Amino acid sequence: MLKALTALAYPRLCIETGRALGHKGAVTPGACVIELENVAYSYGDGALLTQVSLTLAPGSFHFLTGPSGAGKTTLLKLCYGALHPTTGNTLFFGEDVSRMSRDAVANLRRRVGVVHQDCSFLDHLSVADNIRLPLSVAGRQAEEAREDLAELMAWVGLTERAQALPPELSGGERQRAALARAVILSPDVLLADEPTGNVDWEMSQRLLRLLVELNRMGKTVLIATHDLSLIRAAKTQVQARVLRIVGGQVQQAGADL
Amino acid sequence: MTWREDLRYLVLGDGQADRIVPPSGFTARLTVFAAAAMAFLAVFALALALASNRLAHRWGAELAGSSTIRIVAPETQLGQQTEAALGILETTPGVAFARALTPDEQRSLLAPWFGRDVDLQALPVPQLIEVIEEEGFDPAGLRLRLAAEVPGAVLDDHGRWRGPLLASANRLRGLGWLSTVLLAASVAAMVSLAAQASLAANAQVIAVLRLVGATDRYIAQAFVRRFTLRALGGGVLGTLAGGVAVASLPAPPESVGFLEGLGFAGADWLLTLCIPLLCAVVAFAATKTAAHRALKRLA
C-alpha cells in the first residue's frame, strides 16, 4: 500500500522538513497543514462554534468528539474549506483560505482527503470509477495509475466490487470506498466524519487499522466521532490527541479517554 | 485555461470527465427539441432574409438606371410630340439610349389588366419612351426642357417606386435577420433553463466533485460540453428538416415574383450550415454562463 500511495502522490509536502517539493501550492516552512485561528461559525442567529483555535501538525492523529449537534461536522467542513467561518481565519498549509479564489481552494483541497459519514458517490459510476475520480479531477490519466488503483482497491478490500455501483455496496464497503477515494491522490491530511458510524464493530476496527496505517505513512488524520470505544481502541495503536467540542469551543479531552 | 483549451476540450472531450454528469432524459430531450425547433424556424428566417435580399437587388437593378417618359396627347399630336421628346433626349447629357415602345410592347404591358387582345386604338393610351441613363443624368433639367418643348410629356425616373420598394425589401430582409437573432436568443434561453435544471438536479454530483477538489471550470466544462453537443445535434436535425421543407416548397406561378425567390439558390445552401453551429455556439455561451452562476450560488 505504501508503494501505491507513494506512486500516486503528487510532489507533496515533505512532512519531515515542512518544505514543499515542487507542489504548486506554496507552503510556509514549518506550517501546520490546517490551522483555525479564533474561528466562529453561526447558522443564522445561532452561534454553533465560538473562538475555536485548532492546529493540525504534519503527521499528527486527532479525534474530535462531542455530542450530536455540537458542531463536529461543521468544524470538519471548516477544516477543508467547504464552509467559511463567520469570524476568524482558516489556513491551509499556511495560506489564508479567505484570500484564495474558489479554484485555488479546490486545488488545495486535493491535498485534503475527506471521508463523509454519508459517503456520497456518483451513483451512475462504478466503484472503481468513483475511486479514480480525484485523478480525473486533477487532470491525470487513469491509465497511468491502473496498477496503483488495483493495489489501492486491494488495500481496502474492494477488488471484487470494483465494477459494482455504489448503491449496491454495504455500509462498510461504502466507507472503505470513500476512504480509497480520499487517499488516491496521497493527500497530506485525511479528515473523516463518523467513518465507523454505519458499520459493525469488526468493520470499524478494520477501518481504524487503515487510518492508523495512513498515519504511519506520515498523513495527518482527524476523525470526528462520538464512538468512544473507537478512540480507546485507537489509543492502543497510535498516539492520538482527543479534542472535545463543548459549548461551541474545542477543549483537550481528559486522560479518561 | 484559455479559450483554446476550452475549445480543445469541447471538441476532443475527456472520457472520464464526460461521464461525471449522469444522463438526464428530460433536460437532454428539452435541449435537443428546442435546438431542433429553433433551427427549423431559422432555416425559414434565413430563406426569408435571402429572398428579401435578392428581391431588393432585383428591384434596385431593374428600376435603377432607367426612366420612362409618358406622352399624353391627342392622337393627332402624339407622333409629333414623341418625335420631339426623342429629339430632346438625343441632345440631353446623361441619356445613353432612348426609344419609343412599340405597340406590341405597350400591349403586353396592358395585358395583365385587359388581356392580350386589347385594341390600343380604342383606348387613349399614352406613348411610352424608355430612357436608359448614364452618368450625369439630370432628371430635373430634363423635366424643365420637356415642359417647355413637349407639353404632353411626363418624366418618371422611377424614384417614387424604387424608394418604397427598396425600403420594403430592406425591411423584409431586416425582419429575416431579426427573426434569426430572436431564434438564437430563444435557443439561449431554453438551453440556459435546461442547464440550470440539470445543475439543480445534479447538486449532489457537484458536491461530490467539489469534495474531491474539482474546480468550477472542471465542473462547468462537463455540463457545457454535454449541452453544446446536444444543441449541435438538435440544430443539425432541425436544419435538415427545414432544408427539406424549403426545398419542397411548391414552385409558384412565374408571375408571382416574390414567392419565386423564397428558397435557397446555389451557395445559399452553405449558409444553412451556420445554423447548427450557431445553435452550438449559443448553447456553449448560455450553459457556461448558467453553470458559473449556479456554481457560485452553490458554493
Side-chain angles (χ1 to χ4, degrees):
Chain A
M1 179 57 213
L2 183 61
K3 174 179 167 285
L5 284 181
T6 306
L8 287 166
Y10 275 110
R12 59 194 165 83
L13 180 69
C14 174
I15 289 167
E16 290 77 15
T17 62
R19 285 185 296 111
L21 298 181
H23 201 289
K24 274 185 177 177
V27 177
T28 307
C32 294
V33 286
I34 292 175
E35 193 170 358
L36 304 184
E37 294 178 340
N38 298 319
V39 162
Y41 191 82
S42 304
Y43 286 104
D45 293 334
L48 186 63
L49 299 173
T50 55
Q51 296 290 309
V52 171
S53 290
L54 175 69
T55 57
L56 302 184
S60 57
F61 199 113
H62 308 260
F63 279 104
L64 184 64
T65 69
S68 295
K72 296 190 293 295
T73 300
T74 299
L75 188 59
L76 242 61
K77 286 183 175 177
L78 286 166
C79 282
Y80 65 90
L83 292 177
H84 298 289
T86 311
T87 60
N89 298 316
T90 308
L91 281 74
F92 273 8
F93 309 100
E95 292 187 59
D96 190 343
V97 173
S98 66
R99 293 179 184 172
M100 298 164 70
S101 67
R102 283 206 307 279
D103 282 357
V105 173
N107 283 323
L108 274 185
R109 200 177 283 165
R110 295 173 195 166
R111 299 170 67 186
V112 181
V114 181
V115 180
H116 263 304
Q117 184 176 11
D118 57 4
C119 300
S120 299
F121 293 103
L122 304 186
D123 287 345
H124 62 290
L125 297 183
S126 69
V127 171
D129 283 341
N130 268 282
I131 291 174
R132 69 163 71 100
L133 190 58
L135 292 174
S136 169
V137 162
R140 298 184 64 193
Q141 295 299 318
E143 286 71 22
E144 292 174 23
R146 191 180 296 278
E147 282 183 24
D148 302 321
L149 179 68
E151 196 175 343
L152 185 59
M153 299 286 289
W155 181 63
V156 293
L158 288 175
T159 303
E160 303 296 318
R161 307 288 279 153
Q163 296 310 314
L165 293 175
E168 298 166 3
L169 299 183
S170 68
E173 287 171 332
R174 288 176 72 85
Q175 293 287 357
R176 284 180 280 144
L179 182 60
R181 184 181 65 188
V183 300
I184 194 165
L185 284 178
S186 190
D188 299 298
V189 56
L190 185 77
L191 308 176
D193 188 9
E194 301 283 6
T196 59
N198 298 318
V199 298
D200 57 27
W201 169 254
E202 191 181 340
M203 183 55 68
S204 73
Q205 294 308 299
R206 188 172 172 184
L207 283 166
L208 179 61
R209 279 196 297 277
L210 294 174
L211 292 166
V212 169
E213 197 176 336
L214 285 168
N215 180 245
R216 286 180 181 149
M217 293 175 197
K219 313 295 179 193
T220 304
V221 178
L222 173 61
I223 302 170
T225 182
H226 62 264
D227 184 354
L228 299 184
S229 63
L230 181 76
I231 298 174
R232 291 191 189 103
K235 288 182 87 171
T236 64
Q237 304 172 45
V238 68
Q239 190 174 0
R241 186 164 67 135
V242 182
L243 307 167
R244 190 183 348 235
I245 299 181
V246 179
Q249 295 194 324
V250 174
Q251 300 172 349
Q252 182 90 30
D256 54 322
L257 282 173
Chain B
M1 277 197 198
T2 62
W3 65 270
R4 280 199 187 90
E5 285 168 316
D6 278 343
L7 192 63
R8 185 175 173 276
Y9 173 77
L10 192 67
V11 175
L12 300 178
D14 173 342
Q16 173 79 357
D18 289 346
R19 293 190 298 137
I20 60 170
V21 182
S24 48
F26 168 68
T27 54
R29 284 195 295 272
L30 180 64
T31 308
V32 173
F33 172 76
M38 298 304 168
F40 183 83
L41 295 174
V43 171
F44 284 94
L46 184 64
L48 174 68
L50 291 173
S52 308
N53 202 34
R54 282 196 297 270
L55 199 63
H57 276 110
R58 202 176 74 204
W59 285 348
E62 284 179 0
L63 296 177
S66 71
S67 300
T68 305
I69 293 175
R70 194 169 68 247
I71 311 286
V72 183
E75 195 178 347
T76 53
Q77 296 176 21
L78 197 59
Q80 184 189 349
Q81 290 205 24
T82 301
E83 288 301 320
L86 286 169
I88 289 171
L89 289 168
E90 277 178 15
T91 59
T92 301
V95 174
F97 172 75
R99 72 176 182 93
L101 265 60
T102 64
D104 280 349
E105 286 173 321
Q106 300 221 135
R107 194 175 290 114
S108 67
L109 288 174
L110 294 173
W113 290 272
F114 299 105
R116 292 247 167 229
D117 301 324
V118 62
D119 179 8
L120 290 180
Q121 302 300 324
L123 287 173
V125 178
Q127 174 64 50
L128 297 179
I129 298 174
E130 179 189 16
V131 180
I132 305 299
E133 302 160 7
E134 63 182 13
E135 198 172 338
F137 181 70
D138 174 18
L142 180 59
R143 263 193 203 98
L144 287 174
R145 286 188 69 191
L146 288 172
E149 298 179 35
V150 189
V154 178
L155 173 66
D156 181 358
D157 63 358
H158 303 160
R160 69 194 173 103
W161 295 99
R162 198 170 59 196
L165 281 174
L166 284 178
S168 298
N170 285 331
R171 192 160 294 179
L172 273 173
R173 181 171 51 188
L175 281 173
W177 292 120
L178 177 66
S179 303
T180 307
V181 170
L182 287 175
L183 289 167
S186 303
V187 170
M190 294 297 283
V191 171
S192 193
L193 281 173
Q196 281 174 18
S198 178
L199 284 157
N202 288 299
Q204 180 66 23
V205 171
I206 292 168
V208 170
L209 291 170
R210 285 216 162 116
L211 190 69
V212 298
T215 59
D216 283 2
R217 179 181 285 270
Y218 178 90
I219 300 169
Q221 273 181 340
F223 284 89
V224 168
R225 184 165 194 270
R226 181 164 293 194
F227 278 87
T228 302
L229 293 181
R230 283 174 185 168
L232 180 65
V236 168
L237 290 176
T239 303
L240 282 174
V244 169
V246 168
S248 59
L249 279 176
E254 198 177 318
S255 58
V256 189
F258 173 69
L259 283 177
E260 194 178 17
L262 189 61
F264 299 107
D268 288 353
W269 283 102
L270 292 176
L271 279 176
T272 60
L273 296 177
C274 298
I275 294 174
L277 291 177
L278 181 67
C279 286
V281 168
V282 166
F284 175 81
T287 314
K288 192 166 184 178
T289 306
H292 282 288
R293 272 195 198 145
L295 290 170
K296 194 173 179 183
R297 198 174 55 248
L298 290 170

